[in-house]
Amino acid sequence: MDDIVPDLKQKLPDLRGRLLANEPLAPLTWFRVGGPAQALFMPEDEKDLAYLLANLSADVPVTVIGLGSNLIVRDGGLPGVVIRLGRGFNETKIEPAHRVRAGTAVPDLRVAKSAQEAGIAGLAFLRGIPGAIGGALRMNGGAYGAETKDVLIEARGVDRAGNIRIYSNAEMGFSYRHCGVRDDVIFTEALFQGTPGDPAEIAAEMDEITSKRETTQPVKSRTGGSTFKNPPGHKAWQLIDAAGCRGLVLSDAQVSELHCNFLINRGSASAADIENLGEEVRRRVGDQSGVTLEWEIKRIGIKM
């Protein structure tokens, strides 16, 4: 892809964050696949992000990525500007009334741990979500009987015009693994409500979640978390298993033997291999059960 960074730097002279041309994205995803970002921007803080968005030409595509856990970046890479939030969005603060404020680059695990140490119950489920707070907001992330919508007070974000917005829980438009806020809004912060709890009891709850994950999910493999949403009245893994897809292999991509709603890169799979394997699983499940699985993992970028 053409190097657009010199032109961006000329048009946006007050940018403070790092701006890199044709930067590989595979190392930033859990699958370790995918092509480059035409331009990768890591804003210094919310004001830096707002400056970019307010002054960036409307015809330049913008994509935001987090920890890359629930993501397939396709092999052709991503045109335009890819934004990755880092240290300027990585703080967690304990507030009065058993509240936790967190930047959207903070891993879900760290928010759960901060709440536990402060004796705040109700956020332990975040231990079971392999990603960052930004993804939990965008996907209404949930695990072990709770979802982001259950604990969120409000979220803060920057829209495509560079305006800073506050969204109440109701304004987030949450549903199963979905948020109704426009896709071009980049979340920067979240405020969560917990309840009084005993740190030792919360720690035990988190340990139980950790144990369940390690025994039932391929957490030490190159994977992207749950691949498909659970259809109404069904569990995706059961449908996949019934269709004979457990352990199914395509090139170096595989349906996990341990949990068949997880896809794995065994080492040298391409993004296309993983996505094509997922589509084959969808086809077989549809043929066997008549149910159409919907992707939970986000797939972005250009197919090769």
Side-chain angles (χ1 to χ4, degrees), residues 228 263 273-283 295:
F228 303 107
L263 303 182
D273 292 333
I274 297 168
E275 186 170 6
N276 289 340
L277 176 60
E279 288 298 328
E280 176 62 15
V281 169
R282 294 180 73 235
R283 185 189 69 78
W295 283 89

Side-chain angles (χ1 to χ4, degrees), residues 164-222:
I164 295 172
R165 303 276 306 276
I166 303 292
Y167 299 88
S168 68
N169 187 311
E171 290 171 329
M172 292 291 284
F174 283 131
S175 57
Y176 175 64
R177 299 299 175 264
H178 175 76
C179 162
V181 174
R182 288 172 56 105
D183 288 342
D184 60 6
V185 171
I186 299 175
F187 293 119
T188 58
E189 189 179 80
L191 179 62
F192 298 107
Q193 180 68 63
T195 58
D198 177 73
E201 292 180 2
I202 302 167
E205 181 183 357
M206 289 171 59
D207 287 344
E208 183 178 358
I209 290 172
T210 301
S211 177
K212 286 180 179 178
R213 287 190 70 232
E214 291 179 347
T215 56
T216 62
Q217 300 175 11
V219 295
K220 296 182 180 179
S221 301
R222 293 183 178 181

Side-chain angles (χ1 to χ4, degrees), residues 20-284:
L20 305 173
N22 289 306
E23 185 70 10
L25 292 176
L28 304 182
T29 73
W30 285 28
F31 275 122
R32 297 294 191 268
V33 298
Q38 188 171 17
L40 177 64
F41 179 57
M42 290 160 281
E44 194 70 22
D45 51 31
E46 187 181 70
K47 288 184 179 179
D48 199 29
L49 172 63
Y51 171 74
L52 171 87
L53 295 173
N55 293 281
L56 189 65
S57 174
D59 61 357
V60 177
V62 173
T63 307
V64 62
I65 64 172
L67 294 184
S69 59
N70 197 43
L71 184 69
I72 296 174
V73 175
R74 293 180 173 128
D75 299 305
L78 286 165
V81 178
V82 176
I83 295 171
R84 190 170 195 253
L85 306 184
R87 59 188 176 186
F89 307 83
N90 203 28
E91 287 190 13
T92 302
K93 298 177 183 177
I94 303 300
E95 299 194 352
H98 306 98
R99 294 181 171 185
V100 181
R101 188 178 299 274
T104 47
V106 180
D108 301 325
L109 165 60
R110 186 145 65 86
V111 174
K113 183 65 174 174
S114 295
Q116 177 268 322
E117 292 173 347
I120 298 175
L123 303 181
F125 75 94
L126 290 168
R127 172 64 187 91
I129 304 176
I133 291 300
L137 293 174
R138 183 53 68 182
M139 297 288 292
N140 185 23
Y144 302 99
E147 294 179 310
T148 301
K149 69 176 180 61
D150 300 328
V151 293
L152 183 76
I153 297 173
E154 64 183 28
R156 183 179 173 106
V158 184
D159 67 21
R160 185 61 174 82
N163 301 305
I164 295 172
R165 303 276 306 276
I166 303 292
Y167 299 88
S168 68
N169 187 311
E171 290 171 329
M172 292 291 284
F174 283 131
S175 57
Y176 175 64
R177 299 299 175 264
H178 175 76
C179 162
V181 174
R182 288 172 56 105
D183 288 342
D184 60 6
V185 171
I186 299 175
F187 293 119
T188 58
E189 189 179 80
L191 179 62
F192 298 107
Q193 180 68 63
T195 58
D198 177 73
E201 292 180 2
I202 302 167
E205 181 183 357
M206 289 171 59
D207 287 344
E208 183 178 358
I209 290 172
T210 301
S211 177
K212 286 180 179 178
R213 287 190 70 232
E214 291 179 347
T215 56
T216 62
Q217 300 175 11
V219 295
K220 296 182 180 179
S221 301
R222 293 183 178 181
T223 185
S226 294
T227 306
F228 303 107
K229 299 177 183 180
N230 288 324
H234 300 277
K235 291 187 180 297
W237 77 265
Q238 292 177 340
L239 294 171
I240 295 167
D241 207 14
C245 295
R246 184 183 293 269
L248 183 66
V249 172
L250 177 63
S251 185
D252 221 17
Q254 182 179 22
V255 176
S256 171
E257 295 270 9
L258 183 61
H259 190 314
C260 50
N261 196 24
F262 283 65
L263 303 182
I264 293 171
N265 178 4
R266 299 192 299 180
S268 60
S270 65
D273 292 333
I274 297 168
E275 186 170 6
N276 289 340
L277 176 60
E279 288 298 328
E280 176 62 15
V281 169
R282 294 180 73 235
R283 185 189 69 78
R284 294 192 185 192

